[in-house]
Amino acid sequence: VPGQWVNVQVLGDVSAAEMTRTMLAMTQWVSPKQSCNYCHIPTNFASDSLWPKVVARQMLRMTRDVNANWRSHVGQTGVTCWSC
């Protein structure tokens, strides 16, 4: 989302509301105790120095690919991070 976040490589095409919803959902699924700090450095959210952020980005790409290109397998339901 231009002007709001830096280094957004996968979800740059979604609204601010959808970005927030996705990040909050991922936090609950992946790191409810650590919160955002599991993937992000609090003073520099754009940093890619934490491995969980790099992996999360790869998983988002994979999820989008599966939902876009494997409809015959995942049907109308699709997959989310929670699927795994």
Side-chain angles (χ1 to χ4, degrees):
V1 178
Q4 293 185 330
W5 293 289
V6 177
N7 195 21
V8 176
Q9 297 179 23
V10 178
L11 298 174
D13 61 334
V14 300
S15 68
E18 181 62 15
M19 171 73 88
T20 300
R21 185 204 67 77
T22 301
M23 291 295 109
L24 290 173
M26 287 177 66
T27 298
Q28 288 303 307
W29 297 333
V30 175
S31 61
K33 292 181 183 176
Q34 298 96 333
S35 190
C36 303
N37 297 344
Y38 186 70
C39 292
H40 296 281
I41 296 174
T43 57
N44 183 4
F45 267 51
S47 173
D48 288 337
S49 63
L50 296 178
W51 185 243
K53 180 180 176 185
V54 175
V55 171
R57 186 181 285 137
Q58 291 170 338
M59 293 301 195
L60 283 168
R61 284 184 180 120
M62 179 185 66
T63 299
R64 284 182 152 204
D65 179 62
V66 168
N67 287 330
N69 300 310
W70 294 86
R71 279 272 182 224
S72 63
H73 184 70
V74 298
Q76 294 302 313
T77 304
V79 296
T80 68
C81 298
W82 186 249
S83 300
C84 290

